Amino acid sequence: MRRIEAADAERLREIRLAALADAPGSFWQTLAGEGARPFADWQARAARNATGDAHATFLLERAPGLPERAPGLAGPAPGQLVGMVDVHRPSHAPEFRELAAMWVAPAVRGTGAADLLLGAALGWAREVGAVGVRLWVVPTNPAAVGVYLRHGFRPVGTVEEAVPDEAGKVYLPMLLALDDDAAAEPTFLERAQAPWTDESG
Ligand SMILES: CC(C)(COP(=O)(O)OP(=O)(O)OC[C@H]1O[C@@H](n2cnc3c(N)ncnc32)[C@H](O)[C@@H]1OP(=O)(O)O)[C@@H](O)C(=O)NCCC(=O)NCCS
């Protein structure tokens, strides 16, 4: 598990497109849209998310020397990326961080990869002083909802068309409070539910 580096632009593009091809029903962005982005966008995104307290991407790489998951089945090669997650500072709720683009390669699902990704993302959010982390999940995605519940996220508000989505998907907003004092403030929930904007870069 590691934070992205500026030099990871091509690998970021590959894993993000793999995620969108694998699970188009899970994400607001589309394979066509992301696939059409110029390489300079991926370079800018990798560089931006490599440092600082506003944006971060965490990448999960298969370690060398691990056994194959199932005998006889080809698994990901050593060094291959098998998971990613983005976290960013939403401009309408800058004291929070927002989790997005979470994906685990099918070959390593059910092995704790999501826990590693969330651990890195939430650890970073704590380090940078976020009062909470929010996300939007398609409610008919039990694997994802289950992972988020296990890490303490709770639904806030109602299932809604939180964003314009050409495929007509609806999203469930979920929130994890990181700061008890901030969470006790009467405006906390309202601030956490400030409107979604596409800030993936
Ligand atoms: C959601 C996701 C990140 C979970 O990753 P993961 O590392 O498999 O997470 P977990 O190991 O905690 O498994 C979560 C659930 O997936 C299911 N699961 C387990 N092994 C699985 C496998 N080999 N294949 C498919 N699903 C599996 C189980 O229902 C599990 O729930 P359980 O803990 O009650 O058994 C992953 O399934 C994924 O990338 N899905 C597609 C993209 C997506 O939906 N992203 C979330 C956007 S909000």
Side-chain angles (χ1 to χ4, degrees):
M1 171 64 59
R2 63 179 177 84
R3 189 166 178 176
I4 198 168
E5 295 170 8
D8 283 317
E10 177 56 27
R11 303 187 83 200
L12 173 64
R13 192 181 74 85
E14 280 174 16
I15 191 171
R16 181 63 178 144
L17 297 188
L20 289 163
D22 168 66
S26 297
F27 302 113
W28 178 81
Q29 285 166 324
T30 64
L31 181 59
E34 291 279 88
R37 285 166 63 150
F39 189 61
D41 280 12
W42 298 98
Q43 289 175 305
R45 185 172 162 190
R48 182 196 63 183
N49 291 16
T51 61
D53 65 1
H55 296 261
T57 296
F58 295 93
L59 300 173
L60 185 61
E61 220 169 55
R62 188 171 193 276
L66 285 182
E68 299 296 350
R69 186 159 174 265
L73 278 182
Q80 186 176 329
L81 293 183
V82 291
M84 72 167 286
V85 66
D86 274 352
V87 207
H88 67 269
R89 182 174 63 198
S91 55
H92 294 308
E95 70 274 43
F96 291 82
R97 290 296 177 276
E98 187 167 301
L99 203 121
M102 168 104 163
W103 184 72
V104 168
V108 298
R109 285 186 191 154
T111 66
D115 291 339
L116 290 175
L117 287 164
L118 273 181
L122 299 180
W124 178 79
R126 282 194 175 88
E127 266 172 45
V128 301
V131 297
V133 176
R134 66 182 198 167
L135 60 84
W136 274 260
V137 61
V138 174
T140 51
N141 182 352
V145 172
V147 171
Y148 298 139
L149 285 172
R150 200 167 69 228
H151 282 265
F153 284 85
R154 292 293 173 261
V156 281
T158 52
V159 173
E160 58 193 61
E161 284 184 51
V163 293
D165 184 316
E166 285 171 15
K169 291 193 287 291
V170 295
Y171 297 87
L172 174 68
M174 296 185 84
L175 173 67
L176 172 69
L178 296 181
D179 179 317
D180 290 343
D181 291 337
E185 291 167 16
T187 58
F188 182 75
L189 274 184
E190 187 189 329
R191 280 154 44 216
Q193 292 178 76
W196 183 90
T197 50
D198 181 11
E199 295 176 59
S200 54

